[in-house]
Amino acid sequence: AQKVTQAQTEISVVEKEDVTLDCVYETRDTTYYLFWYKQPPSGELVFLIRRNSFDEQNEISGRYSWNFQKSTSSFNFTITASQVVDSAVYFCALSPGYSSASKIIFGSGTRLSIRP
Amino acid sequence: GAVVSQHPSWVICKSGTSVKIECRSLDFQATTMFWYRQFPKQSLMLMATSNEGSKATYEQGVEKDKFLINHASLTLSTLTVTSAHPEDSSFYICSARDNGVQDGYTFGSGTRLTVV
C-alpha cells in the first residue's frame, strides 16, 4: 500500500520560532520520489523539494531544511526563523516508481499559521 | 520552465449542467496527466490518470460516467463534470509529468467549481 501520513493537522507558532512538519510514508517500492509542496490560500501548489529514494542526504535551502530517513520512513521539513509569509498548508507527497505514469499521492496536509 | 495552463480558474454553474475544465501543457508534451480534487480543508485526492490516445484510468470510487476525461493530444486533457450537483463543488487541479523540470511534475493553477 502507498500512503503518506502527516499527523499534524494544524500548527501555530509565533514568528521567528522554528517549526518542524512531520511526514511518514509507506511504500513497497524500492524506487520512489518524495515531495513537499506549499499551498497558499490562493490554491496553487508551490513545489519545494523532490527527493529520490536513493538520496538520503539532508538538504538545506535558505530557512528550509529537510531530513530524509529511510530507516523510519520519514521525510520531515523544518522551517527556521519562521515568518508570517510561511503561513500556508504544506503537503508531503510520494510518487512510487520513476515512470511517467507514476502518480503522486498526497498526505492530508499540515496547516501552518505563523503569528506576528 | 514547464507550464501547465488550466482554465477556467473558477466557474459557477447551475445544478444539472455540465462543466468542462481544460488542462494544457504549454511547452512540453505530456502523455500522462493527472486530475485531482480537493474539498475545503482537505488533501488532494487523485481522481484519474489521463493517457493520451487511450482511456483514462479512474481511481476507486470515482464515477467515470460523471467525470469524463479526454486526452486527445499530447498537450491537452479535459475534464468534464456532467450533470453537476452541489456536492461536486470543489477545487480541481491537473498535473502533467515532465522530466525536464526539477520536481518532475507541473501543476495547473486549479479550477474552483461552485455548483448552485
Side-chain angles (χ1 to χ4, degrees), chain A residues 18-77:
Chain A
D18 299 346
V19 58
T20 295
L21 309 182
D22 298 333
C23 173
V24 175
Y25 64 93
E26 294 176 34
T27 180
R28 291 200 185 98
D29 290 78
T30 55
T31 56
Y32 51 89
Y33 286 117
L34 294 167
F35 305 80
W36 275 95
Y37 288 92
K38 174 181 180 180
Q39 188 179 42
S42 55
E44 81 275 17
L45 285 175
V46 178
F47 165 75
L48 296 178
I49 190 171
R50 179 180 80 168
R51 261 287 173 265
N52 74 56
S53 50
F54 297 106
D55 182 3
E56 284 192 74
Q57 199 167 12
N58 292 332
E59 176 146 344
I60 298 175
S61 176
R63 297 183 296 107
Y64 296 169
S65 62
W66 292 268
N67 183 290
F68 176 25
Q69 292 195 352
K70 287 180 76 171
S71 60
T72 56
S73 296
S74 65
F75 187 41
N76 297 337
F77 171 34

Side-chain angles (χ1 to χ4, degrees), chain B residues 8-99:
Chain B
S9 56
W10 61 270
V11 58
I12 301 173
C13 71
K14 289 186 176 180
S15 188
T17 61
S18 295
V19 173
K20 180 185 286 187
I21 302 170
E22 288 191 352
C23 182
R24 198 178 296 270
S25 57
L26 295 187
D27 48 5
F28 67 100
Q29 294 183 333
T31 56
T32 303
M33 290 189 178
F34 305 91
W35 286 95
Y36 293 84
R37 178 170 54 182
Q38 185 181 29
F39 291 109
K41 295 192 176 184
Q42 293 189 25
S43 185
L44 286 81
M45 300 303 296
L46 180 67
M47 298 174 66
T49 302
S50 167
N51 304 297
E52 186 270 333
S54 64
K55 290 183 179 180
T57 304
Y58 290 82
E59 296 297 302
Q60 193 173 7
V62 177
E63 300 174 60
K64 60 181 181 181
D65 294 330
K66 180 170 184 61
F67 299 99
L68 301 180
I69 291 173
N70 184 284
H71 195 156
S73 77
L74 287 171
T75 59
L76 175 65
S77 176
T78 60
L79 168 68
T80 301
V81 183
T82 63
S83 186
H85 288 94
E87 57 265 30
D88 298 323
S89 298
S90 186
F91 191 59
Y92 293 86
I93 306 178
C94 67
S95 169
R97 180 68 186 258
D98 177 20
N99 290 321

